[in-house]
Amino acid sequence: QRQVKERTREISEQKDKIEDQNEQRKELLENITASIKYARRLQENILPSESRIASLLPKSTIYFKPKDIVSGDFYFVNEYNGKVVFAAIDCTGHGVPGAFMSLVGHNALNSAIRLNPGLNPADILRDLNRLSSKAVNSDQNAEVGMRDGMDLALCVLDRENATLEYAGAHNPLYLIRDQKIEVFKADKIGIGSTESMHEEFTRYKISLQKDDMIYIFSDGYADQFGGEQGRKFMYEPFRQLLLSIALEDSDTQFNILDTTLMEWLNAGISPQEQIDDIIVMGVRF
């Protein structure tokens, strides 16, 4: 009987210990989650406000869907000397690491723009590459084969002269006009690579017509797994999707992008999880 009581006491103590540990884990998780949610508020401060976007890029669509509470993708919209600079940026990683990179990227982009008052997007990307390489890629990272950086599409819109200048690092630009799509290819140069720090980017100058739609984006949408076979969405269906919505108003475009993605995620036997941050920017001239 003594052994039974002793064993019962041990089991009770173990149970109390496990409950204490679970409570500590729960409290730790709640604290971490609260900190990340606060970090989201800080990260949102680098994003332009809806009113600012509406004034600079009226009738534009920004579909922004982070994978986690904070994001490695972000978008940029600002005005300089009567021209609007806008970009869709995809930083290395997602979640907390990606969010740290987005803050570094945002500061570096602002600095690169200040260094180039002529607003040549290719020169801005060259200096952004140089600044980012120095900021995030140490000699130690290079030795172990790590590369922290970003891919992006950068545009300079001159409404007065009906032109758009574009340069891209891995991320292209799509122009939809008269229900046809033209692809402007990005350079295969990753921003933040020490090997390509001094490489020059390609500058495109596009003459715009009324109702042209310009799309820039990260790879998150096209690379998302889903469908009945659990495969990637892919770029050709993504282009066809953009063609199908280009004539719609901004709210309708946003809703169709979201509905299509949700249907893709849930089309199989088991729903797929979002694997990366997603951003799609559509700007109507």
Side-chain angles (χ1 to χ4, degrees):
Q1 190 173 4
R2 179 186 296 178
Q3 290 180 339
V4 172
K5 288 182 178 180
E6 185 68 22
R7 182 60 180 158
T8 301
R9 184 182 62 80
E10 290 176 358
I11 292 173
S12 178
E13 289 177 351
Q14 290 175 354
K15 179 175 177 293
D16 291 341
K17 185 177 180 180
I18 291 171
E19 287 177 349
D20 288 342
Q21 289 174 341
N22 288 338
E23 189 64 31
Q24 289 174 5
R25 291 192 185 99
K26 181 182 178 182
E27 184 177 350
L28 178 61
L29 180 60
E30 288 175 349
N31 289 338
I32 292 172
T33 303
S35 295
I36 295 174
K37 286 182 177 179
Y38 182 73
R40 178 176 61 186
R41 290 173 55 193
L42 297 177
Q43 188 182 35
E44 286 172 349
N45 288 336
I46 72 172
L47 300 177
S49 66
E50 290 184 7
S51 59
R52 181 71 171 161
I53 295 169
S55 66
L56 296 179
L57 297 175
K59 300 182 180 180
S60 60
T61 302
I62 299 181
Y63 182 68
F64 180 51
K65 192 173 183 65
K67 177 187 183 298
D68 302 306
I69 296 173
V70 288
S71 172
D73 286 8
F74 69 98
Y75 50 93
F76 182 94
V77 181
N78 212 343
E79 185 177 27
Y80 306 87
N81 302 323
K83 297 179 181 179
V84 181
V85 177
F86 63 96
I89 302 101
D90 180 359
C91 295
T92 302
H94 49 77
V96 174
F100 273 107
M101 271 303 306
S102 73
L103 297 177
V104 173
H106 183 268
N107 290 335
L109 179 56
N110 271 315
S111 297
I113 292 172
R114 285 196 297 270
L115 290 172
N116 293 278
L119 300 179
N120 180 330
D123 291 345
I124 293 172
L125 288 195
R126 178 201 61 212
D127 288 335
L128 175 62
N129 191 12
R130 177 176 56 82
L131 293 168
S132 300
S133 297
K134 291 180 178 179
V136 300
N137 285 310
S138 65
D139 294 337
Q140 183 179 359
N141 283 350
E143 289 175 4
V144 297
M146 295 174 61
R147 183 187 80 83
D148 294 317
M150 65 198 86
D151 300 331
L152 76 154
L154 178 69
C155 300
V156 178
L157 175 62
D158 184 344
R159 290 192 179 278
E160 185 176 347
N161 294 300
T163 61
L164 180 85
E165 295 189 14
Y166 153 78
H170 286 295
N171 290 357
L173 177 146
Y174 294 166
L175 171 67
I176 295 181
R177 175 185 298 164
D178 298 328
Q179 295 182 297
K180 295 180 181 178
I181 190 166
E182 185 174 0
V183 178
F184 293 85
K185 293 183 178 180
D187 292 299
K188 293 183 178 180
I189 304 171
I191 298 293
S193 170
T194 53
E195 293 81 7
S196 63
M197 192 185 303
H198 302 291
E199 288 197 43
E200 296 294 325
F201 290 82
T202 305
R203 173 192 186 187
Y204 295 90
K205 189 169 184 177
I206 306 164
S207 295
L208 296 174
Q209 298 178 14
K210 187 176 183 295
D211 288 331
D212 281 352
M213 277 299 301
I214 302 117
Y215 290 101
I216 55 176
F217 41 85
S218 66
D219 60 3
Y221 206 108
D223 282 353
Q224 177 59 52
F225 289 96
E228 293 182 1
Q229 305 299 321
R231 296 175 179 175
K232 287 185 178 182
F233 194 87
M234 303 299 286
Y235 278 97
E236 180 55 31
F238 179 60
R239 284 191 286 269
Q240 293 302 316
L241 173 61
L242 295 181
L243 273 169
S244 72
I245 67 175
L247 296 177
E248 304 289 350
D249 61 49
S250 57
D251 288 341
T252 303
Q253 290 197 35
F254 181 97
N255 291 334
I256 293 175
L257 286 168
D258 191 54
T259 300
T260 302
L261 180 68
M262 292 301 102
E263 290 176 349
W264 180 252
L265 287 169
N266 294 287
I269 297 174
S270 299
Q272 297 280 346
E273 291 186 3
Q274 186 177 335
I275 62 169
D276 199 1
D277 302 316
I278 293 172
I279 183 169
V280 181
M281 294 182 70
V283 175
R284 189 180 304 281
F285 181 67

